[in-house]
Structures are given as C-alpha cells and as structure tokens.
Amino acid sequence: MTTILLTGANGQVGWELQRVLAPLGRVVAVDQQQMNLAEPDSIRRLVREVSPNLIVNTAAYTAVDKAESEPDLAMAVNGTAPGVMAEEARKLKAGLVHYSTDYVFDGSKSDAYREDDATNPLSVYGRTKLAGEEAIRASGVPHLILRTSWIYGARGHNFLLTMRRLGAERPELRVVDDQIGAPTWCRALAEVTGQMLAICGPSGLAHRSGLYHVTNAGETSWCGFARRILEQSGLGTPVTGIRTSEYQAPARRPANSRLANDRLRQVFGLSLPDWQESLALCLDELSARSS
C-alpha cells in the first residue's frame, strides 16, 4: 500500500487533504509537534521513520508581516525544510507535493502570471517560498509544486473568517481595493490535488513533474472579496475600498496576484470553479455548522 506523509495536518489545506488523500493510500498526518520544520534533523528523522512513497507538504511559515522581523525562521521553514524533504524523498525514490504562493511575483505584470514568468518577490515571505521551490527543483526529486493564492476556508485563521467576525462587530470596514487575485477555497485546492495524484497513478509524479498554478477561476480585489463575504453572510456592513498605501503593512504585497491555470488544464485536464461558486459552498458549510 502507498504510504503518504502529510505535513501541516492541522492547517487549512492539510485538514482537507486528510480526507482527500485517504482513498490513495495510508496517510500519516503530522503537525508541528511531530515534525519541527525549523530543525532539519527532525524532518530527516520522521521521514526515515515513516518511509513514505509520497510526501505532501502543506506546512509553512505563513505570517507574511511577521516574517519581516523573523527572516531566519521563515527561511528555515519555507526555504530550507522543503529542500530537506526533497532530498529525503529522492533517497526513498518517493515523490513530493509542495504548495507555494503568488507572492513569488512582484505584481507588475498586466495580466495573469504563468509558470515560466520571471519571479521577483517583494517580501521576506515571498523570498523564502521561492527558495523552497528552488531547493525542490535542485534536488531532482519527482515533484508537483502548486502555486496558489488567497487561501481561505471554514476553519483556522483566514480572511473569510476575519471579515465575518469584523463585519458583525464594526459599523464599517476599510479593505484594500487595489490588489487583484483569485480567492481560493482550501477544499477546492485539496480536491484538485487529489485528482492530480490519481491521474499520476502508481507510476508516480515523474511524467508530470513540475510547477503548476492552481487557483479558483475569476478575479476580484480584497475589497470585492470582503463585500461578497458579508453580502452572502447576511451582514449589511458597508465596506470602503482603500489603497494599499493607506494600509501600512510591514510586508509589501503584489498588486497583481492573478495566476494563469492553463498548464493545469493542458497537462491534467483539470480546473477549479469560479471563486464565487466556491465561496458560496464554503459559506453554506459554515451556515450548516452553526444551525
């Protein structure tokens, strides 16, 4: 039986993947307590103990602003750790699935970014995630690196849950309106990952190894996303659009986070639904849970 080592099991994507990956093999799901990504020896020890056929790494340092003041820790988790996993996977003749981000780009392109576009991260977070991508590619391990954007879901800490909470607490919200991207539901991302792995089959990732952009379809701004969340949540809180320069965050964000998913369609024949469709499903889940 195929053994799959899943990291970041309690994160948004990792939580969804526990269910999605179950039909594909025996899933060994671990979190920070079992594998400390800041310590390479902890990674090596666990990988060798589990001896997986596939590693799916959803774990990451995701505090974008805090990374500006913790660059070494962010690099250890986002840059070094994926390379260690890749090296260990290669020794086991295993494959690796890894998630990356739109923040590897500077956002200056006028249309959606493709996989072969030049990277130029604006933040420590973006630079460390790019370092992780590069370490995986350099290892020679069969891999799927899945760049995605604006992840949200019905659990954990994310923009959707924050907007619902603030919308119920405040008379008005002010949200950035000059950054454009595709909000991506963690469940949709997890499910398409499972489909990609099923298509790869027992022969593994070697024939389709590479980098893929994987996001929900369509686009909006953070302000537009917030308005749709509140509207569909039955909250009438007004949302005023502001410029990024008014927000004063420590880390710079790309103005254009749109990722073209053409390669995913061409190689796997797969695509994700429009972001508004996935948002409606996620909010339905939240409503059912609270009723």
Side-chain angles (χ1 to χ4, degrees), residues 98-102 104-105 114-117 119 130 133 137 145-149 189 211-215 259 261:
H98 176 75
Y99 296 87
S100 192
T101 174
D102 55 296
V104 301
F105 297 113
R114 301 184 181 279
E115 288 84 352
D116 56 358
D117 281 329
T119 54
L130 181 59
E133 291 185 13
R137 282 195 289 267
I145 297 172
L146 309 182
R147 281 190 192 139
T148 190
S149 68
L189 178 61
L211 171 65
Y212 296 87
H213 287 174
V214 185
T215 66
L259 302 178
N261 286 205

mmCIF file of all heavy atoms in Angstrom, residues 98-102 104-105 114-117 119 130 133 137 145-149 189 211-215 259 261:
data_model
loop_
_atom_site.group_PDB
_atom_site.id
_atom_site.type_symbol
_atom_site.label_atom_id
_atom_site.label_comp_id
_atom_site.label_asym_id
_atom_site.label_seq_id
_atom_site.Cartn_x
_atom_site.Cartn_y
_atom_site.Cartn_z
ATOM 1 N N HIS A 98 4.241 20.017 -3.037
ATOM 2 C CA HIS A 98 4.558 21.175 -2.211
ATOM 3 C C HIS A 98 3.738 22.366 -2.686
ATOM 4 O O HIS A 98 3.509 22.524 -3.890
ATOM 5 C CB HIS A 98 6.056 21.486 -2.323
ATOM 6 C CG HIS A 98 6.484 22.720 -1.588
ATOM 7 N ND1 HIS A 98 6.603 22.758 -0.218
ATOM 8 C CD2 HIS A 98 6.814 23.963 -2.033
ATOM 9 C CE1 HIS A 98 7.007 23.960 0.145
ATOM 10 N NE2 HIS A 98 7.130 24.723 -0.929
ATOM 11 N N TYR A 99 3.318 23.209 -1.752
ATOM 12 C CA TYR A 99 2.479 24.365 -2.085
ATOM 13 C C TYR A 99 3.286 25.655 -1.976
ATOM 14 O O TYR A 99 3.998 25.880 -0.993
ATOM 15 C CB TYR A 99 1.261 24.428 -1.159
ATOM 16 C CG TYR A 99 0.350 23.245 -1.349
ATOM 17 C CD1 TYR A 99 0.561 22.066 -0.636
ATOM 18 C CD2 TYR A 99 -0.684 23.272 -2.282
ATOM 19 C CE1 TYR A 99 -0.248 20.956 -0.832
ATOM 20 C CE2 TYR A 99 -1.498 22.169 -2.483
ATOM 21 C CZ TYR A 99 -1.273 21.010 -1.759
ATOM 22 O OH TYR A 99 -2.070 19.906 -1.961
ATOM 23 N N SER A 100 3.146 26.491 -2.989
ATOM 24 C CA SER A 100 3.822 27.779 -2.991
ATOM 25 C C SER A 100 2.793 28.883 -3.217
ATOM 26 O O SER A 100 1.590 28.660 -3.051
ATOM 27 C CB SER A 100 4.941 27.806 -4.030
ATOM 28 O OG SER A 100 5.765 28.948 -3.842
ATOM 29 N N THR A 101 3.239 30.059 -3.621
ATOM 30 C CA THR A 101 2.405 31.250 -3.486
ATOM 31 C C THR A 101 2.571 32.244 -4.620
ATOM 32 O O THR A 101 3.628 32.305 -5.259
ATOM 33 C CB THR A 101 2.756 31.952 -2.149
ATOM 34 O OG1 THR A 101 2.061 33.195 -2.041
ATOM 35 C CG2 THR A 101 4.249 32.251 -2.057
ATOM 36 N N ASP A 102 1.534 33.037 -4.830
ATOM 37 C CA ASP A 102 1.585 34.167 -5.758
ATOM 38 C C ASP A 102 2.592 35.220 -5.314
ATOM 39 O O ASP A 102 3.032 36.054 -6.121
ATOM 40 C CB ASP A 102 0.200 34.813 -5.861
ATOM 41 C CG ASP A 102 -0.357 35.229 -4.501
ATOM 42 O OD1 ASP A 102 -0.591 34.322 -3.674
ATOM 43 O OD2 ASP A 102 -0.551 36.432 -4.261
ATOM 44 N N VAL A 104 5.602 35.060 -4.881
ATOM 45 C CA VAL A 104 6.916 34.972 -5.536
ATOM 46 C C VAL A 104 7.032 36.002 -6.660
ATOM 47 O O VAL A 104 8.126 36.240 -7.177
ATOM 48 C CB VAL A 104 7.205 33.561 -6.089
ATOM 49 C CG1 VAL A 104 7.171 32.524 -4.974
ATOM 50 C CG2 VAL A 104 6.232 33.182 -7.204
ATOM 51 N N PHE A 105 5.913 36.637 -7.036
ATOM 52 C CA PHE A 105 5.907 37.659 -8.088
ATOM 53 C C PHE A 105 5.794 39.052 -7.485
ATOM 54 O O PHE A 105 5.324 39.214 -6.358
ATOM 55 C CB PHE A 105 4.740 37.419 -9.046
ATOM 56 C CG PHE A 105 4.823 36.114 -9.792
ATOM 57 C CD1 PHE A 105 3.896 35.099 -9.554
ATOM 58 C CD2 PHE A 105 5.819 35.884 -10.728
ATOM 59 C CE1 PHE A 105 3.962 33.895 -10.234
ATOM 60 C CE2 PHE A 105 5.902 34.681 -11.405
ATOM 61 C CZ PHE A 105 4.975 33.683 -11.162
ATOM 62 N N ARG A 114 2.137 33.335 -15.570
ATOM 63 C CA ARG A 114 2.321 31.944 -15.975
ATOM 64 C C ARG A 114 3.518 31.354 -15.238
ATOM 65 O O ARG A 114 4.320 32.084 -14.665
ATOM 66 C CB ARG A 114 2.506 31.854 -17.491
ATOM 67 C CG ARG A 114 1.306 32.416 -18.245
ATOM 68 C CD ARG A 114 1.418 32.258 -19.746
ATOM 69 N NE ARG A 114 0.245 32.852 -20.391
ATOM 70 C CZ ARG A 114 -0.931 32.261 -20.514
ATOM 71 N NH1 ARG A 114 -1.080 31.026 -20.046
ATOM 72 N NH2 ARG A 114 -1.942 32.869 -21.095
ATOM 73 N N GLU A 115 3.635 30.042 -15.303
ATOM 74 C CA GLU A 115 4.666 29.359 -14.527
ATOM 75 C C GLU A 115 6.081 29.776 -14.925
ATOM 76 O O GLU A 115 6.991 29.762 -14.089
ATOM 77 C CB GLU A 115 4.522 27.834 -14.687
ATOM 78 C CG GLU A 115 3.330 27.246 -13.963
ATOM 79 C CD GLU A 115 2.026 27.314 -14.742
ATOM 80 O OE1 GLU A 115 1.995 27.961 -15.821
ATOM 81 O OE2 GLU A 115 1.032 26.723 -14.284
ATOM 82 N N ASP A 116 6.287 30.153 -16.187
ATOM 83 C CA ASP A 116 7.639 30.494 -16.637
ATOM 84 C C ASP A 116 7.928 31.992 -16.568
ATOM 85 O O ASP A 116 8.989 32.445 -17.020
ATOM 86 C CB ASP A 116 7.883 29.976 -18.060
ATOM 87 C CG ASP A 116 6.867 30.476 -19.072
ATOM 88 O OD1 ASP A 116 5.939 31.206 -18.677
ATOM 89 O OD2 ASP A 116 6.996 30.130 -20.255
ATOM 90 N N ASP A 117 7.022 32.787 -16.009
ATOM 91 C CA ASP A 117 7.286 34.212 -15.838
ATOM 92 C C ASP A 117 8.375 34.427 -14.778
ATOM 93 O O ASP A 117 8.496 33.643 -13.826
ATOM 94 C CB ASP A 117 6.016 34.961 -15.423
ATOM 95 C CG ASP A 117 5.084 35.229 -16.600
ATOM 96 O OD1 ASP A 117 5.589 35.398 -17.723
ATOM 97 O OD2 ASP A 117 3.859 35.265 -16.379
ATOM 98 N N THR A 119 10.271 35.588 -11.608
ATOM 99 C CA THR A 119 9.871 35.860 -10.224
ATOM 100 C C THR A 119 10.632 37.081 -9.698
ATOM 101 O O THR A 119 11.734 37.370 -10.149
ATOM 102 C CB THR A 119 10.150 34.649 -9.327
ATOM 103 O OG1 THR A 119 11.522 34.277 -9.469
ATOM 104 C CG2 THR A 119 9.262 33.468 -9.717
ATOM 105 N N LEU A 130 9.998 31.166 -2.487
ATOM 106 C CA LEU A 130 10.720 30.933 -3.732
ATOM 107 C C LEU A 130 11.945 30.063 -3.491
ATOM 108 O O LEU A 130 12.256 29.166 -4.287
ATOM 109 C CB LEU A 130 11.122 32.267 -4.363
ATOM 110 C CG LEU A 130 11.879 32.187 -5.690
ATOM 111 C CD1 LEU A 130 11.056 31.463 -6.751
ATOM 112 C CD2 LEU A 130 12.276 33.580 -6.175
ATOM 113 N N GLU A 133 10.852 26.483 -3.433
ATOM 114 C CA GLU A 133 10.645 25.976 -4.796
ATOM 115 C C GLU A 133 11.979 25.577 -5.428
ATOM 116 O O GLU A 133 12.125 24.498 -6.020
ATOM 117 C CB GLU A 133 9.997 27.041 -5.677
ATOM 118 C CG GLU A 133 8.571 27.391 -5.371
ATOM 119 C CD GLU A 133 8.017 28.375 -6.402
ATOM 120 O OE1 GLU A 133 8.670 28.568 -7.451
ATOM 121 O OE2 GLU A 133 6.934 28.943 -6.169
ATOM 122 N N ARG A 137 13.373 21.851 -6.811
ATOM 123 C CA ARG A 137 13.779 21.609 -8.208
ATOM 124 C C ARG A 137 15.234 21.136 -8.288
ATOM 125 O O ARG A 137 15.570 20.248 -9.061
ATOM 126 C CB ARG A 137 13.585 22.872 -9.033
ATOM 127 C CG ARG A 137 12.133 23.132 -9.422
ATOM 128 C CD ARG A 137 12.027 24.172 -10.514
ATOM 129 N NE ARG A 137 12.351 25.501 -10.011
ATOM 130 C CZ ARG A 137 11.446 26.365 -9.543
ATOM 131 N NH1 ARG A 137 10.173 26.012 -9.491
ATOM 132 N NH2 ARG A 137 11.803 27.550 -9.117
ATOM 133 N N ILE A 145 4.929 21.188 -7.645
ATOM 134 C CA ILE A 145 4.918 22.434 -6.890
ATOM 135 C C ILE A 145 3.677 23.194 -7.337
ATOM 136 O O ILE A 145 3.538 23.531 -8.519
ATOM 137 C CB ILE A 145 6.176 23.281 -7.140
ATOM 138 C CG1 ILE A 145 7.424 22.537 -6.667
ATOM 139 C CG2 ILE A 145 6.062 24.630 -6.431
ATOM 140 C CD1 ILE A 145 8.734 23.218 -7.052
ATOM 141 N N LEU A 146 2.757 23.430 -6.412
ATOM 142 C CA LEU A 146 1.471 24.040 -6.734
ATOM 143 C C LEU A 146 1.423 25.448 -6.156
ATOM 144 O O LEU A 146 1.302 25.626 -4.945
ATOM 145 C CB LEU A 146 0.326 23.189 -6.174
ATOM 146 C CG LEU A 146 0.364 21.702 -6.522
ATOM 147 C CD1 LEU A 146 -0.854 20.992 -5.956
ATOM 148 C CD2 LEU A 146 0.467 21.474 -8.025
ATOM 149 N N ARG A 147 1.539 26.444 -7.035
ATOM 150 C CA ARG A 147 1.411 27.834 -6.586
ATOM 151 C C ARG A 147 -0.063 28.203 -6.527
ATOM 152 O O ARG A 147 -0.793 27.981 -7.498
ATOM 153 C CB ARG A 147 2.116 28.776 -7.560
ATOM 154 C CG ARG A 147 3.612 28.841 -7.421
ATOM 155 C CD ARG A 147 4.159 29.972 -8.273
ATOM 156 N NE ARG A 147 5.607 29.920 -8.414
ATOM 157 C CZ ARG A 147 6.253 30.172 -9.541
ATOM 158 N NH1 ARG A 147 5.584 30.490 -10.636
ATOM 159 N NH2 ARG A 147 7.566 30.118 -9.580
ATOM 160 N N THR A 148 -0.469 28.786 -5.427
ATOM 161 C CA THR A 148 -1.864 29.153 -5.262
ATOM 162 C C THR A 148 -1.959 30.548 -4.651
ATOM 163 O O THR A 148 -0.936 31.222 -4.478
ATOM 164 C CB THR A 148 -2.608 28.096 -4.420
ATOM 165 O OG1 THR A 148 -4.004 28.348 -4.458
ATOM 166 C CG2 THR A 148 -2.093 28.067 -2.984
ATOM 167 N N SER A 149 -3.161 31.008 -4.347
ATOM 168 C CA SER A 149 -3.318 32.384 -3.858
ATOM 169 C C SER A 149 -4.527 32.509 -2.936
ATOM 170 O O SER A 149 -5.504 31.790 -3.065
ATOM 171 C CB SER A 149 -3.481 33.354 -5.034
ATOM 172 O OG SER A 149 -4.718 33.148 -5.707
ATOM 173 N N LEU A 189 -8.764 23.358 -3.503
ATOM 174 C CA LEU A 189 -7.344 23.099 -3.748
ATOM 175 C C LEU A 189 -6.972 21.679 -3.353
ATOM 176 O O LEU A 189 -6.257 20.975 -4.095
ATOM 177 C CB LEU A 189 -6.497 24.110 -2.976
ATOM 178 C CG LEU A 189 -4.989 23.953 -3.079
ATOM 179 C CD1 LEU A 189 -4.512 24.109 -4.520
ATOM 180 C CD2 LEU A 189 -4.286 24.966 -2.171
ATOM 181 N N LEU A 211 6.007 22.520 -12.085
ATOM 182 C CA LEU A 211 5.360 23.650 -11.417
ATOM 183 C C LEU A 211 4.007 23.927 -12.061
ATOM 184 O O LEU A 211 3.906 24.002 -13.291
ATOM 185 C CB LEU A 211 6.269 24.871 -11.539
ATOM 186 C CG LEU A 211 5.733 26.225 -11.096
ATOM 187 C CD1 LEU A 211 5.461 26.242 -9.602
ATOM 188 C CD2 LEU A 211 6.741 27.321 -11.461
ATOM 189 N N TYR A 212 2.981 24.105 -11.229
ATOM 190 C CA TYR A 212 1.630 24.373 -11.730
ATOM 191 C C TYR A 212 0.988 25.486 -10.913
ATOM 192 O O TYR A 212 1.106 25.518 -9.690
ATOM 193 C CB TYR A 212 0.748 23.120 -11.627
ATOM 194 C CG TYR A 212 1.220 21.971 -12.478
ATOM 195 C CD1 TYR A 212 2.160 21.063 -11.983
ATOM 196 C CD2 TYR A 212 0.750 21.792 -13.773
ATOM 197 C CE1 TYR A 212 2.620 20.010 -12.762
ATOM 198 C CE2 TYR A 212 1.192 20.737 -14.561
ATOM 199 C CZ TYR A 212 2.131 19.852 -14.050
ATOM 200 O OH TYR A 212 2.591 18.812 -14.830
ATOM 201 N N HIS A 213 0.297 26.376 -11.601
ATOM 202 C CA HIS A 213 -0.524 27.377 -10.921
ATOM 203 C C HIS A 213 -1.914 26.786 -10.713
ATOM 204 O O HIS A 213 -2.530 26.285 -11.672
ATOM 205 C CB HIS A 213 -0.606 28.654 -11.753
ATOM 206 C CG HIS A 213 0.675 29.435 -11.750
ATOM 207 N ND1 HIS A 213 0.870 30.562 -12.530
ATOM 208 C CD2 HIS A 213 1.832 29.254 -11.056
ATOM 209 C CE1 HIS A 213 2.090 31.034 -12.308
ATOM 210 N NE2 HIS A 213 2.687 30.258 -11.437
ATOM 211 N N VAL A 214 -2.407 26.857 -9.473
ATOM 212 C CA VAL A 214 -3.676 26.208 -9.119
ATOM 213 C C VAL A 214 -4.479 27.160 -8.232
ATOM 214 O O VAL A 214 -4.206 27.290 -7.035
ATOM 215 C CB VAL A 214 -3.432 24.875 -8.378
ATOM 216 C CG1 VAL A 214 -4.768 24.172 -8.128
ATOM 217 C CG2 VAL A 214 -2.504 23.962 -9.169
ATOM 218 N N THR A 215 -5.461 27.824 -8.827
ATOM 219 C CA THR A 215 -6.326 28.736 -8.073
ATOM 220 C C THR A 215 -7.763 28.572 -8.551
ATOM 221 O O THR A 215 -8.012 28.042 -9.636
ATOM 222 C CB THR A 215 -5.926 30.208 -8.284
ATOM 223 O OG1 THR A 215 -6.164 30.566 -9.655
ATOM 224 C CG2 THR A 215 -4.467 30.451 -7.941
ATOM 225 N N LEU A 259 -2.979 34.256 -11.243
ATOM 226 C CA LEU A 259 -2.168 33.149 -11.740
ATOM 227 C C LEU A 259 -2.931 32.412 -12.838
ATOM 228 O O LEU A 259 -4.062 31.969 -12.622
ATOM 229 C CB LEU A 259 -1.828 32.172 -10.607
ATOM 230 C CG LEU A 259 -1.086 32.745 -9.392
ATOM 231 C CD1 LEU A 259 -0.876 31.657 -8.346
ATOM 232 C CD2 LEU A 259 0.241 33.359 -9.798
ATOM 233 N N ASN A 261 -3.990 29.372 -15.010
ATOM 234 C CA ASN A 261 -4.076 27.925 -14.737
ATOM 235 C C ASN A 261 -4.043 27.072 -16.006
ATOM 236 O O ASN A 261 -4.416 25.901 -15.981
ATOM 237 C CB ASN A 261 -5.359 27.620 -13.957
ATOM 238 C CG ASN A 261 -5.306 28.049 -12.488
ATOM 239 O OD1 ASN A 261 -6.011 27.504 -11.657
ATOM 240 N ND2 ASN A 261 -4.477 29.029 -12.172
#
